[in-house]
Amino acid sequence: MPEHPLPLMPGQRLARGVARMLRSMDHVVLPEFVPSRGLRVDLISMGPKGEFWIVECKSCRADFMGDRKWQGYLEWCDRYFWAVDCDFPVDLLPADTGLIRADAYGADIRRMSPETRLPAARRSRIMRDFARVSALRLHGLTDPGAVSAGVF
């Protein structure tokens, strides 16, 4: 598959490396997922047992300090992680969240996030939304004309 046509932004490079790591763990990954109106997570993954992880990619201190919505993401996942590069000051990150070190080519979990299991109704909603968004994106890849024709 060809390389991305435009240079990736720092957060996109982190997201790519994290997605590769998650796939190696048998998770399926969606970038730029909206779990609820007003929230957009960088990555959400579903593990082989139906568990949901959210990963926010922070490319610098200012990016982290400007994030005012991250606590709203906690109620939409079983585990929550920050993904940062090797130069990020990790002492800024809350100790009760997961930590992933990443670059454009891979990542590794440095601190596992504590698990907070989703309620059944919320899990069902996220699973449905995850499936619908995945199917819509796949359809857009296999039939780009559907997007321009207003099918989506």
Side-chain angles (χ1 to χ4, degrees), residues 11-106:
Q12 292 171 316
R13 288 193 295 269
L14 293 173
R16 184 173 74 177
V18 171
R20 289 177 177 184
M21 177 202 68
L22 290 168
R23 280 296 303 131
S24 77
M25 298 170 65
D26 202 22
H27 282 237
V28 290
V29 184
L30 272 177
E32 305 291 324
F33 181 75
V34 177
S36 180
R37 179 178 227 128
L39 298 177
R40 183 190 45 76
V41 302
D42 292 332
L43 293 170
I44 188 168
S45 74
M46 183 175 62
K49 296 179 181 176
E51 66 276 21
F52 286 96
W53 293 7
I54 288 177
V55 181
E56 278 299 295
C57 300
K58 296 300 171 193
S59 58
C60 64
R61 177 187 185 98
D63 188 15
F64 172 74
M65 299 305 279
D67 188 338
R68 306 233 186 272
K69 295 182 181 181
W70 74 269
Q71 290 177 327
Y73 303 153
L74 300 176
E75 63 188 83
W76 297 98
C77 60
D78 297 302
R79 295 186 189 271
Y80 181 85
F81 295 86
W82 299 103
V84 298
D85 68 17
C86 62
D87 296 324
F88 190 92
V90 295
D91 56 319
L92 294 176
L93 302 173
D96 60 345
T97 56
L99 173 62
I100 297 171
R101 287 282 194 181
D103 62 23
Y105 303 100

